[in-house]
Amino acid sequence: IFDKPREWTASVLTEEFPFASVYQWYKDSFGTPLAFSPAKETEVDETPLALPVSGNVIETFQTNGKGITIAPTETTSVQALREGIVIFSGKKSETNKTIVIQHADKSTTTYGFLSSIDVHLYQIVDANQRIGEFNPTDANEVVYFSIEKNNEFVDPVQVIEVDDQP
């Protein structure tokens, strides 16, 4: 009699909740959620996906199997790849100041080695919205970026149009 509730409880406590999928379903079903401040007018943005920062890809996906590192040459804004919900905003041992965004297609994007973070946990972000800043220093010259879907890392260069640089 307690097997089904035990299985449900175990799955709820071990699987990540799909915040972005539920938010997208809510928007599709009921419209934009109530807000305490006036909503800004939103336009449909159909620009192709781009890297979160401008710079040269220093370490490719084939090198580490998880993501890429990008070396901007100057202080720059870091932008969200697509609309989603911030599920992590803080420091990680591997990538220091890091942001993880969950998207409606159940994928996540990770932005690491940032100089500053401009978003908070469970914040809804738009595509190409500024989420942080990167300032190159002697100690840190790169931004880490990865895409994960179905518990497997995906090569960002296969998903995003990247300019070939000499």
Side-chain angles (χ1 to χ4, degrees):
I1 191 168
F2 295 111
D3 287 343
K4 287 219 183 252
R6 186 179 305 127
E7 289 174 17
W8 178 82
T9 304
S11 72
V12 167
L13 294 175
T14 57
E15 294 177 18
E16 194 169 290
F17 187 77
F19 292 105
S21 298
V22 171
Y23 174 71
Q24 188 65 45
W25 168 83
Y26 187 92
K27 275 181 38 177
D28 293 344
S29 299
F30 305 109
T32 305
L34 294 175
F36 293 109
S37 61
K40 62 181 184 222
E41 291 294 321
T42 57
E43 296 178 9
V44 177
D45 188 10
E46 295 182 9
T47 58
L49 298 176
L51 289 175
V53 294
S54 295
N56 295 324
V57 175
I58 299 299
E59 186 176 59
T60 64
F61 180 79
Q62 288 72 26
T63 305
N64 64 31
K66 291 186 177 182
I68 60 174
T69 56
I70 308 161
T73 56
E74 59 189 18
T75 299
T76 184
S77 292
V78 178
Q79 298 177 332
L81 180 67
R82 292 190 310 251
E83 177 183 47
I85 296 180
V86 177
I87 59 170
F88 182 84
S89 177
K91 286 190 175 185
K92 287 193 170 198
S93 60
E94 309 87 31
T95 52
N96 202 4
K97 289 183 182 175
T98 302
I99 299 168
V100 180
I101 299 176
Q102 184 185 74
H103 306 283
D105 66 354
K106 298 182 182 170
S107 67
T108 60
T109 50
T110 302
Y111 312 80
F113 297 123
L114 306 180
S115 301
S116 66
I117 295 174
D118 296 344
V119 294
H120 56 82
L121 191 60
Y122 304 123
Q123 179 177 338
I124 297 166
V125 295
D126 294 324
N128 300 319
Q129 177 180 330
R130 177 188 162 111
I131 57 173
E133 184 176 84
F134 177 76
N135 183 15
T137 64
D138 290 338
N140 183 23
E141 298 176 344
V142 297
V143 172
Y144 172 78
F145 176 66
S146 70
I147 301 172
E148 190 175 356
K149 185 163 185 170
N150 299 326
N151 295 323
E152 291 186 14
F153 288 95
V154 177
D155 185 356
V157 175
Q158 299 299 321
V159 177
I160 301 169
E161 289 185 26
V162 178
D163 291 337
D164 290 331
Q165 306 214 351

